[in-house]
DNA sequence: GTTATTCGTTACCTTTAGGTAAGCGACTAT
DNA sequence: ATAGTCGCTTACCTAAAGGTAACGAATAAC
């Protein structure tokens, strides 16, 4: 063990768990895509999400929505229209994700500059 | 399309790309573990990382380190010791990840409170 | 009756992440 | 000569994520 310097980022066990939780919850190909669409449009039906999340299949969309609902990030509302429509919207708790998105975007932009040398 | 309200989180295409880059780069079972260990200890050899990243196999560790090096988040230094040792350390660019970690930890903690009702 | 719409589900397949176990090359110590 | 250390690599396997294609229940329009 060749420890040299001790930097100020020592995470306690609970914080490491929190980190794991957050990563696990937000990882995957579609999570942020769905969340961003809901941020932008406020409320979207299943069909809408299928169209705005370009390339997603109903099976995968359904699974992702269930997962997000279980984690209380979105609400699912069945409207009595004919045929039945279902509306999805963000919960107040979902706004807590915004700092994560901002941090990821900022890092991603800097990283692109560093790696690919292109500002966009 | 049942758009209702327009909230202030409209990401341009470049930012969406940056978000995808960042997620892709930092996802996976071991990335943050390795980075945190390097944050905490400054410099670690392959063997050290194998021990601090409990459960990782040399194959996976090797792959992760290569990926991190390609993305200029860590440096790889071969020491002329016998037998050969190799030291890994964070680059200055890796410090840009700190806000991401902080945001993820904060969200994770709040999320645990919300979902499981346990503060730890 | 036939077709269409909406919100899914089901069965099946491919791809990827990650794990298991073993070995290799260079060197050292006994 | 044999065994050990270090930093990997290789071949193989498993499990999970995700894609493809088709179908189903409910209702309505033609």
């Amino acid at each position: 063990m060749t420890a040299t310097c001790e930097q100020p980022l020592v995470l306690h066990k609970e914080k490491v768990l929190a980190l794991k939780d957050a990563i696990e919850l937000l990882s995957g190909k579609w999570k942020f895509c769905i969340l961003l669409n809901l941020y932008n449009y406020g409320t979207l039906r299943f069909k809408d999400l299928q169209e705005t999340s370009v390339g997603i299949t109903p099976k995968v969309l359904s699974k992702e929505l269930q997962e997000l609902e279980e984690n209380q990030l979105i609400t699912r509302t069945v409207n009595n229209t004919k045929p039945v429509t279902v509306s999805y919207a963000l919960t107040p708790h979902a706004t807590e994700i915004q700092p994560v998105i901002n941090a990821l975007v900022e890092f991603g932009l800097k990283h692109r500059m560093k790696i690919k040398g292109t500002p966009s």
Side-chain angles (χ1 to χ4, degrees), chain A:
Chain A
M1 194 73 83
T2 44
T4 53
C5 60
E6 201 83 6
Q7 272 180 328
L9 193 81
V10 183
L11 297 191
H12 311 288
K13 289 161 201 163
E14 49 163 14
K15 293 195 176 179
V16 174
L17 287 180
L19 183 59
K20 283 188 181 177
D21 280 3
I23 294 162
E24 200 184 327
L25 177 52
L26 300 174
S27 285
K29 190 170 174 182
W30 297 108
K31 292 281 161 52
F32 277 104
C33 180
I34 292 168
L35 290 175
L36 287 180
N37 283 325
L38 289 174
Y39 269 115
N40 290 336
Y41 294 107
T43 298
L44 289 173
R45 292 179 300 112
F46 191 88
K47 191 80 188 312
D48 299 333
L49 283 164
Q50 228 181 126
E51 281 160 15
T52 53
S53 311
V54 182
I56 202 169
T57 59
K59 171 201 159 188
V60 174
L61 178 56
S62 175
K63 199 199 90 201
E64 301 285 296
L65 290 172
Q66 281 171 31
E67 222 173 304
L68 291 172
E69 196 195 355
E70 278 167 22
N71 284 285
Q72 298 180 32
L73 293 175
I74 64 171
T75 57
R76 194 187 102 109
T77 316
V78 178
N79 314 303
N80 45 4
T81 54
K82 288 148 189 177
V84 180
T85 56
V86 181
S87 296
Y88 294 92
L90 297 180
T91 63
H93 180 225
T95 62
E96 313 272 20
I97 298 178
Q98 224 154 346
V100 174
I101 295 176
N102 291 334
L104 281 169
V105 168
E106 262 198 54
F107 170 72
L109 288 173
K110 285 177 189 163
H111 187 61
R112 287 212 141 206
M113 279 293 291
K114 196 84 180 179
I115 296 299
K116 306 173 184 169
T118 75
S120 71

